C-alpha cells in the first residue's frame, strides 16, 4: 500500500503534524515514516510572472509607459514561476507529488483562502492526478490534528476556495501591475535624494484605504470649530446634593449657541426652587463582549498595549503555532454548536495562575450557550485558547499580553451579565429642565474577570476621577435618595463654554474597523458580525496594507494617529478631482463589493471568469482615461515621499536623526501592487564572514555578515530578515554591535552619530520592530 503525502504551509506546521501522527524520520525538506510523507511550503513558493513576460519588448520597449498597457492575460494565460530562493523546496514537493511511493495527497496548509491558493499553485504545476483531500482544522493541537485526519474534506468541497484565491491573486496583479505602471509613467518622477524612481503604487485594497485616511484629513482641515455653551446646576435636598445639566425637552440634542442665552438661563434659575418632574429607575444588564475575531483582538491590543496591526497578527500566529490559541485569521466572533461539548476542555486548559479561581468559578456556572457565543460561523470560529495547557513561561513578554487578552475574553463569556441600577432624573426650575443620570453597579458578573482597574476594548473602561458637573454627562453620578415630585433647592448654576471638536485621525484600530465596514466605522460588535464579507481586504491582509502605506510613503504614524503625506494626499486628490473613471480605485464600497464577489466565487455563485471580466473592464477604462489625461496635460509628477525620522527617547535629545534601516526596494520596472511587491536581498550572505552572529528573530536561523548587510543564512529558503549596512547618521554597524543587538536587544553605547543639524550625539540602537529589522535610538538616562 502506498503512502500519503501531506503538504503543510511551513516547517513548524509540518512538525506538529509529524508529532500528532508519529512521524519521526527526517529527510532533506520532508519528514517520513511507513505511512506518511510530510513536506512543506514556505508560504507561496510560486509567483505570477511580471508583465514583461506577456509583452513583445522589442516592439513596446522596456521603459514603463502607457503605450505598453493594459496587460491583461486571460485566465489560462497567467503563468507562475518559482520564487527566488524557493527552488529547492519546490523540487522536493514536486518530486513527492510525482513519486510512485505516494498513493494519496492531503492539502494541510492553513485552512483559508491564501493557504488553499499556495497549495493549489504547486498542485496545478505538478499536473498530479492522485486522489486529493483537504485537512481543515482550527488549531494545531494533537487532538485537533487527529480529529481532522478522521474527517478529511474532499478536494471538490474547497474548489471554490481555490478559485477565489486565484481570483484575488489575478485581480491584484491586474490592478497593481497595470495601474502602478500607468500612474508612475504619468505622475512619477526620479527621487534624487534616494537615487531611485518615485513609484506611484496602486493597489485594489491599498488605494481605497489610503483614500479613507486622506478624506479624514480633509474633514479635519475643513472643520470650523463652533462655540457652544452648557448650563450646569447643583441641586440640594434634605438627603444630599446632586448635579444636573440643562436640556431642551422638545429637542434633546439642541445646543445653546449664544452666551447670552446661557447667561439668561443661569440668571433665571440661580437660587430658585425646583421640583423633580420625572424619576425613572430600572435595572439593566450588560452582557459580556463577543469573543475575539482578528479585528477585535487587534483593536483591543492596540488600545491597551499600543501594538500595531501587523505586530498583533505576528504574535497571534506565533501563539497559534505554539498551540496556545485556535486559528487567528478569522473574521468570526462566534463558536459553532459542535464545540459546546468540548468547551469544558478548553476551560480546563487555562486553569493556571492567574486564572485558577476564575476557571473554577466559571466551571460551576455552566457552559455558555447563548447566541452571543454559539452562532453561525464562517470558515473558522472565534479565537479561543486551545485544549492544551500552555507553558506560559515559554511565551515572550508580548505573547503573554496577547494570550492574556484572549484567555480573559474567553473566560468572560462563561460569566453572567454585569447588572446596574440606572436612574434618570429630570428637575424643573422656572420652566427650565435639567437632566441627571445615575448608574450604580449591582453585580460585577463577567467584569470580575477583568477587575476594576483593567481596560479591555468593548469590555471594561478604566474609571477616571471627574467632578460632579462632568459626571452628569457620564451617566454615573452618585445620587442621594430622590422621589418624583420632591422639591429641591438650586444651590449653584453656571455656564461652561465649549467648542465643537473636529473628527479624530484614524488609529490603526479605528482604520481596521473602517476597512471591515467598507468605509463605515461600525462600533456595534453584533452589527459588525452581520456585515462580514464586504470590507476592504480580509482580516489577514489588512495589517499588511497599513504597513505598506507607511513603507511606500503615503502615510505617517505620529504617536497612534495616521495621517497622509503630501504624496498620499496628492494622489487621492488627482483621482478624485481629475480622473472620474479611476474613482472606483478610491471607493471603499466598490472594493468591498469586489471582496463580496470573491466570496460568491468561493461559494460557486459567481464564476471566476465573470469576476475577472469586471476587473479587466475597469482597468481598461482607467488606462484609457490616463492616456487622455496625458494627451491633454502631459506628465504631472506628484510629491516625493517624506524622509523617515527616527524618534528619540527622552526630552531634549536629538530627534531629527534619519534612519537608514528601511530595506532598499527594487522599484524600477516593479509594480508594487497589493500582494506582489517583493524585496530583493542580493548580496546578503553572498560574501563576507560565514560566522553566525546570533539568532534570526524571524525564523530562528543564523544571522551572518554579507557584502551589503547582516542577513539570515536561510535567505535562499525564503527568510528576508536583513539589517542593511547603510550608515545610520554617519555610523555603520559592526559585527560585534550586531551580536549584542541580537543577543540583548540593544547595541553597546555608540558614540559619534551626527544629527541632521550636524550635532554629534551618542545613543544605543534598540529594536523598533524586530521582525522587520527596524531600529530606533535609545539615549542614556542622566
Amino acid at each position: 500500500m502506498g503512502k500519503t503525502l501531506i503538504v503543510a504551509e511551513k516547517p513548524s506546521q509540518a512538525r506538529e503534524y509529524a508529532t500528532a501522527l508519529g512521524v519521526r524520520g527526517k529527510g532533506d525538506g520532508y519528514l517520513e515514516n511507513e505511512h506518511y510523507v510530510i513536506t512543506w511550503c514556505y508560504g507561496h513558493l510560486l509567483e505570477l510572472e511580471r508583465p514583461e513576460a506577456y509583452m513583445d519588448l522589442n516592439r513596446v520597449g522596456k521603459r514603463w509607459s502607457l503605450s505598453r498597457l493594459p496587460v491583461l492575460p486571460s485566465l489560462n494565460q497567467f503563468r507562475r514561476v518559482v520564487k527566488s530562493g524557493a527552488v529547492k523546496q519546490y523540487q522536493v514537493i514536486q518530486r513527492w507529488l510525482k513519486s510512485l511511493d505516494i498513493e494519496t495527497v492531503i492539502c494541510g496548509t492553513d485552512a483559508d483562502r491564501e493557504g488553499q491558493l499556495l497549495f493549489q499553485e504547486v498542485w496545478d504545476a505538478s499536473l498530479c492526478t492522485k486522489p486529493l483531500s483537504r485537512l481543515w482544522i482550527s488549531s494545531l493541537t494533537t487532538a485537533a490534528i487527529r480529529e481532522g485526519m478522521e474527517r478529511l474534506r474532499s478536494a471538490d468541497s474547497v474548489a471554490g476556495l481555490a478559485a477565489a484565491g486565484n481570483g484575488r491573486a489575478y485581480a491584484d496583479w491586474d490592478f497593481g501591475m497595470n495601474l502602478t505602471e500607468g500612474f508612475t509613467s504619468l505622475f512619477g518622477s526620479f527621487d534624487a535624494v534616494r537615487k531611485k524612481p518615485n513609484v506611484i503604487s496602486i493597489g485594489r485594497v491599498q488605494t481605497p484605504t489610503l483614500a479613507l485616511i486622506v478624506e479624514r484629513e480633509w474633514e479635519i482641515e475643513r472643520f470650523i470649530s463652533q462655540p457652544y455653551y452648557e448650563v450646569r446646576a447643583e441641586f440640594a435636598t434634605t438627603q444630599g446634593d446632586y448635579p444636573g445639566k440643562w436640556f431642551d425637552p422638545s429637542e434633546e440634542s439642541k445646543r445653546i449657541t449664544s452666551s447670552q442665552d446661557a447667561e439668561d438661563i443661569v440668571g433665571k434659575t440661580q437660587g430658585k426652587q425646583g421640583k423633580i418632574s420625572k424619576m425613572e429607575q430600572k435595572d439593566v444588564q450588560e452582557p459580556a463582549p463577543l469573543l475575539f475575531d482578528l479585528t477585535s483582538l487587534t483593536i483591543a491590543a492596540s488600545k491597551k498595549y499600543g501594538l500595531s496591526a501587523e505586530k498583533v497578527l505576528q504574535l497571534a500566529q506565533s501563539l497559534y503555532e505554539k498551540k496556545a490559541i485556535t486559528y487567528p485569521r478569522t473574521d468570526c466572533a462566534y463558536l459553532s454548536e459542535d464545540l459546546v461539548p468540548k468547551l469544558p476542555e478548553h476551560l480546563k486548559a487555562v486553569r493556571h495562575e492567574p486564572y485558577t479561581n476564575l476557571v473554577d468559578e466559571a466551571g460551576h456556572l455552566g457552559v455558555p450557550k447563548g447566541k452571543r457565543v454559539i452562532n453561525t460561523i464562517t470558515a473558522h470560529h472565534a479565537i479561543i485558547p486551545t485544549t492544551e495547557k500552555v507553558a506560559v513561561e515559554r511565551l515572550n513578554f508580548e505573547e503573554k499580553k496577547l494570550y492574556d487578552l484572549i484567555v480573559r475574553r474567553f473566560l468572560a463569556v462563561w460569566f453572567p451579565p454585569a447588572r446596574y441600577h440606572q436612574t434618570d432624573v429630570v428637575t424643573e426650575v422656572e420652566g427650565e429642565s435639567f437632566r441627571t443620570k445615575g448608574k450604580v453597579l449591582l453585580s460585577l458578573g463577567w467584569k470580575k474577570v477583568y477587575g476594576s482597574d483593567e481596560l479591555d476594548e468593548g469590555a471594561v473602561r478604566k474609571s477616571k476621577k471627574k467632578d460632579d458637573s462632568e459626571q452628569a454627562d457620564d451617566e454615573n453620578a452618585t445620587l442621594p435618595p430622590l422621589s418624583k415630585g420632591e422639591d429641591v433647592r438650586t444651590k449653584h448654576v453656571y455656564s461652561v463654554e465649549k467648542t465643537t471638536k473636529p473628527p479624530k485621525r484614524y488609529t490603526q484600530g479605528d482604520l481596521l474597523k473602517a476597512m471591515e465596514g467598507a468605509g463605515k466605522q461600525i462600533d456595534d460588535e453584533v452589527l459588525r458580525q452581520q456585515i462580514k464579507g464586504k470590507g476592504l481586504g480580509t482580516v489577514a491582509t489588512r495589517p499588511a496594507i497599513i504597513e505598506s502605506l507607511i513603507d511606500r510613503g503615503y502615510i505617517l504614524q505620529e504617536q497612534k494617529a495616521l495621517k497622509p503625506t503630501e504624496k498620499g494626499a496628492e494622489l487621492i486628490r488627482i483621482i478624485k478631482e481629475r480622473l472620474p473613471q479611476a474613482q472606483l480605485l478610491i471607493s471603499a464600497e466598490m472594493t468591498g463589493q469586489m471582496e463580496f464577489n470573491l466570496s460568491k466565487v468561493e461559494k460557486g455563485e459567481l464564476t471566476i471568469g465573470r469576476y475577472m471580466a469586471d476587473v479587466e473592464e475597469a482597468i481598461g477604462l482607467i488606462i484609457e482615461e490616463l492616456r487622455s489625461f496625458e494627451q491633454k496635460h502631459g506628465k504631472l509628477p506628484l510629491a516625493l515621499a517624506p524622509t523617515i525620522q527616527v524618534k528619540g527617547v527622552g526630552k531634549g535629545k536629538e530627534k531629527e536623526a534619519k534612519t537608514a534601516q528601511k530595506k532598499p526596494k527594487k522599484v524600477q520596472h516593479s509594480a508594487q501592487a497589493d500582494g506582489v511587491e517583493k524585496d530583493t536581498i542580493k548580496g546578503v550572505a553572498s560574501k563576507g564572514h560565514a560566522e553566525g552572529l546570533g539568532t534570526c528573530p524571524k525564523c530562528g536561523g543564523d544571522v551572518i555578515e554579507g557584502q551589503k548587510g547582516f542577513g539570515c543564512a536561510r535567505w535562499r529558503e525564503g527568510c528576508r530578515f536583513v539589517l542593511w549596512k547603510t550608515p545610520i547618521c554617519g555610523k555603520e554597524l559592526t559585527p560585534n554591535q550586531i551580536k549584542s543587538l541580537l543577543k540583548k536587544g540593544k547595541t553597546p553605547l555608540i558614540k559619534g552619530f551626527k544629527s541632521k543639524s550636524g550635532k554629534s550625539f551618542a545613543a544605543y540602537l534598540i529594536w523598533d520592530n524586530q521582525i522587520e529589522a527596524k531600529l530606533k535610538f535609545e539615549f542614556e538616562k542622566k
Side-chain angles (χ1 to χ4, degrees):
M1 185 176 176
K3 297 182 180 183
T4 296
L5 173 67
I6 302 175
V7 181
E9 184 151 337
K10 57 180 69 172
S12 59
Q13 192 179 54
R15 288 192 292 270
E16 297 301 339
Y17 293 162
T19 300
L21 301 174
V23 178
R24 295 182 175 83
K26 292 184 179 179
D28 189 4
Y30 64 93
L31 304 165
E32 183 181 22
N33 69 3
E34 63 273 20
H35 300 296
Y36 295 102
V37 174
I38 305 174
T39 187
W40 53 85
C41 304
Y42 288 102
H44 288 274
L45 298 182
L46 298 170
E47 61 187 355
L48 291 168
E49 281 202 284
R50 299 202 51 75
E52 286 78 7
Y54 305 97
M55 296 176 179
D56 179 354
L57 293 180
N58 290 327
R59 182 177 63 83
V60 300
K62 296 181 179 181
R63 188 180 182 85
W64 278 12
S65 72
L66 285 165
S67 62
R68 308 198 316 170
L69 305 175
V71 183
L72 299 168
S74 63
L75 286 175
N76 58 5
Q77 286 180 322
F78 273 107
R79 299 191 298 271
R80 288 184 167 94
V81 293
V82 183
K83 281 186 173 182
S84 173
V87 174
K88 181 180 177 182
Q89 191 61 25
Y90 175 76
Q91 290 174 342
V92 169
I93 296 173
Q94 292 298 323
R95 187 167 66 247
W96 280 114
L97 284 171
K98 296 171 183 177
S99 170
L100 296 177
D101 294 335
I102 298 300
E103 184 175 344
T104 60
V105 181
I106 295 173
C107 169
T109 51
D110 280 353
D112 59 15
R113 191 169 72 192
E114 286 307 302
Q116 187 66 38
L117 177 61
L118 67 90
F119 169 80
Q120 204 71 35
E121 291 166 351
V122 296
W123 172 260
D124 290 344
S126 72
L127 302 178
C128 183
T129 58
K130 293 172 182 176
L132 174 65
S133 301
R134 184 46 155 122
L135 176 62
W136 194 273
I137 53 178
S138 288
S139 77
L140 290 175
T141 63
T142 297
I145 293 168
R146 288 175 179 170
E147 183 179 339
M149 290 293 290
E150 292 173 3
R151 300 166 61 181
L152 293 171
R153 297 186 179 187
S154 68
D156 289 342
S157 70
V158 292
L161 193 65
N166 273 318
R168 193 280 309 157
Y170 297 159
D172 284 355
W173 191 96
D174 279 355
F175 271 101
M177 292 296 183
N178 282 279
L179 300 184
T180 296
E181 177 167 342
F183 272 76
T184 301
S185 64
L186 190 52
F187 304 115
S189 59
F190 186 76
D191 186 336
V193 175
R194 294 169 179 79
K195 296 181 173 58
K196 62 181 183 180
N198 180 36
V199 173
I200 309 302
S201 173
I202 300 293
R204 181 180 63 91
V205 179
Q206 169 191 293
T207 306
T209 303
L210 172 61
L212 291 177
I213 299 168
V214 171
E215 286 172 352
R216 174 61 59 87
E217 192 70 18
W218 289 343
E219 285 180 48
I220 294 169
E221 290 172 359
R222 290 193 300 262
F223 183 83
I224 300 174
S225 183
Q226 300 288 340
Y228 68 96
Y229 301 85
E230 288 182 354
V231 176
R232 298 181 179 272
E234 186 177 350
F235 301 108
T237 73
T238 56
Q239 298 290 318
D241 299 345
Y242 67 96
K245 188 176 81 169
W246 180 91
F247 75 103
D248 185 343
S250 64
E251 188 183 345
E252 295 206 16
S253 61
K254 180 179 178 180
R255 282 176 168 164
I256 303 170
T257 57
S258 163
S259 61
Q260 186 58 54
D261 290 346
E263 289 305 319
D264 287 346
I265 296 171
V266 171
K268 182 179 178 182
T269 57
Q270 191 74 260
K272 300 295 175 61
Q273 283 294 114
K275 179 172 288 199
I276 296 177
S277 62
K278 179 183 174 183
M279 177 88 175
E280 288 185 358
Q281 294 180 307
K282 59 182 178 181
D283 288 350
V284 294
Q285 294 188 342
E286 182 184 343
L290 298 184
L291 293 167
F292 281 128
D293 59 14
L294 181 59
T295 298
S296 58
L297 175 62
T298 303
I299 293 166
S302 175
K303 274 206 165 183
K304 186 166 186 179
Y305 299 120
L307 298 175
S308 70
E310 188 176 49
K311 183 66 174 177
V312 173
L313 179 56
Q314 173 208 324
L315 292 171
Q317 182 66 24
S318 177
L319 288 172
Y320 170 67
E321 291 174 7
K322 291 178 179 179
K323 298 186 278 189
I325 64 171
T326 57
Y327 187 68
R329 289 176 168 87
T330 175
D331 65 353
C332 182
Y334 301 120
L335 303 176
S336 59
E337 189 71 42
D338 60 358
L339 261 176
V340 172
K342 302 174 186 175
L343 288 179
E345 294 179 53
H346 291 267
L347 182 67
K348 184 179 177 182
V350 296
R351 193 183 182 279
H352 51 77
E353 292 304 328
Y355 316 114
T356 305
N357 293 337
L358 292 169
V359 169
D360 290 344
E361 187 173 350
H364 290 109
L365 293 169
V367 176
K369 296 180 180 179
K371 287 188 176 181
R372 288 178 61 86
V373 181
I374 309 301
N375 210 321
T376 303
I377 69 166
T378 51
H380 291 279
H381 59 67
I383 304 168
I384 61 173
T386 65
T387 56
E388 291 200 11
K389 280 194 176 290
V390 177
V392 179
E393 65 277 4
R394 294 178 61 187
L395 304 180
N396 66 37
F397 183 62
E398 289 177 323
E399 287 172 344
K400 287 177 183 175
K401 288 179 176 179
L402 204 68
Y403 180 66
D404 181 72
L405 282 177
I406 295 165
V407 170
R408 291 187 188 275
R409 183 64 72 98
F410 174 66
L411 288 172
V413 302
W414 292 71
F415 283 76
R419 291 194 304 112
Y420 294 89
H421 184 68
Q422 193 167 285
T423 305
D424 189 353
V425 179
V426 175
T427 306
E428 284 192 8
V429 184
E430 297 294 316
E432 302 293 343
S433 299
F434 294 80
R435 167 159 282 149
T436 309
K437 290 188 177 182
K439 192 175 181 182
V440 178
L441 181 65
L442 299 177
S443 171
L444 276 171
W446 61 270
K447 293 191 174 185
K448 183 183 294 186
V449 172
Y450 294 96
S452 58
D453 294 328
E454 288 293 323
L455 171 66
D456 179 71
E457 167 66 15
V460 181
R461 298 198 175 275
K462 191 179 289 185
S463 62
K464 296 180 181 179
K465 291 184 179 179
K466 298 181 179 182
D467 59 40
D468 283 346
S469 65
E470 290 176 310
Q471 285 183 342
D473 277 344
D474 300 335
E475 302 188 5
N476 63 352
T478 302
L479 303 180
L482 301 172
S483 59
K484 184 177 179 181
E486 181 178 355
D487 291 330
V488 301
R489 180 170 60 88
T490 308
K491 283 179 64 176
H492 181 48
V493 188
Y494 59 98
S495 69
V496 179
E497 182 178 357
K498 295 197 168 186
T499 55
T500 55
K501 299 281 194 297
K504 292 183 178 179
R505 290 190 176 104
Y506 286 111
T507 63
Q508 289 206 18
D510 294 333
L511 185 59
L512 287 173
K513 279 186 191 177
M515 292 174 76
E516 186 176 60
K520 300 177 182 67
Q521 192 165 332
I522 298 167
D523 293 320
D524 183 85
E525 54 188 359
V526 176
L527 183 57
R528 282 214 308 273
Q529 294 299 315
Q530 294 170 353
I531 63 160
K532 297 292 183 190
K534 284 197 175 184
L536 296 179
T538 66
V539 290
T541 60
R542 287 168 195 146
I545 292 296
I546 297 173
E547 291 299 317
S548 71
L549 287 170
I550 295 172
D551 289 343
R552 293 166 187 174
Y554 283 135
I555 65 173
L556 296 171
Q557 180 160 335
E558 295 181 351
Q559 302 301 326
K560 291 184 179 181
L562 300 172
K563 61 179 297 187
T565 63
E566 188 179 358
K567 176 181 177 180
E570 282 189 9
L571 173 60
I572 301 305
R573 189 181 301 281
I574 204 160
I575 292 174
K576 197 174 183 70
E577 296 179 356
R578 305 180 72 174
L579 298 170
Q581 293 292 347
Q583 286 183 22
L584 69 87
L585 293 171
I586 59 174
S587 167
E589 290 80 4
M590 180 69 73
T591 308
Q593 185 62 45
M594 290 182 66
E595 200 66 48
F596 183 66
N597 287 346
L598 274 178
S599 70
K600 291 174 73 173
V601 172
E602 181 179 328
K603 296 171 187 173
E605 298 170 1
L606 182 69
T607 66
I608 186 173
R610 181 66 258 172
Y611 177 80
M612 290 304 299
D614 292 341
V615 169
E616 291 168 2
E617 181 183 5
I619 291 169
L621 290 172
I622 295 171
I623 293 297
E624 283 304 313
E625 183 173 61
L626 293 177
R627 283 200 187 97
S628 176
F629 185 97
E630 184 178 35
Q631 290 168 4
K632 290 179 183 177
H633 308 288
K635 298 184 185 299
L636 187 66
L638 299 185
L640 302 178
T643 303
I644 304 301
Q645 304 288 325
V646 170
K647 293 182 179 178
V649 179
K651 288 185 177 181
K653 298 295 183 180
E654 292 292 332
K655 297 187 180 182
E656 59 185 0
K658 291 185 290 184
T659 178
Q661 282 302 326
K662 296 186 71 63
K663 300 178 193 176
K665 307 277 186 173
K666 184 180 179 183
V667 297
Q668 189 174 11
H669 298 182
S670 169
Q672 301 185 27
D674 299 336
V676 297
E677 178 181 16
K678 184 172 65 128
D679 293 330
T680 55
I681 313 185
K682 295 178 181 178
V684 176
S686 60
K687 293 183 181 179
H689 305 294
E691 174 197 356
L693 301 174
T695 302
C696 172
K698 200 163 190 174
C699 75
D702 286 335
V703 174
I704 59 177
E705 183 179 4
Q707 184 180 14
K708 297 182 180 179
F710 302 94
C712 182
R714 293 180 179 173
W715 66 280
R716 289 188 183 277
E717 299 171 20
C719 182
R720 291 292 185 259
F721 177 84
V722 58
L723 278 158
W724 299 99
K725 286 184 176 179
T726 315
I728 303 172
C729 298
K731 299 288 290 187
E732 186 176 307
L733 294 183
T734 67
N736 284 336
Q737 289 164 347
I738 296 296
K739 278 185 180 179
S740 176
L741 183 66
L742 293 169
K743 184 176 181 181
K744 302 176 182 178
K746 67 191 297 184
T747 65
L749 184 67
I750 301 173
K751 299 180 179 179
F753 285 121
K754 294 286 186 182
S755 73
K756 193 174 180 181
S757 62
K759 185 176 179 182
S760 180
F761 66 97
Y764 303 96
L765 284 172
I766 63 173
W767 294 117
D768 184 33
N769 184 324
Q770 195 173 11
I771 298 300
E772 296 300 324
K774 294 178 182 177
L775 304 175
K776 63 182 178 181
F777 290 119
E778 182 180 272
F779 296 93
E780 281 188 289
K781 296 178 181 177
K782 295 184 180 179

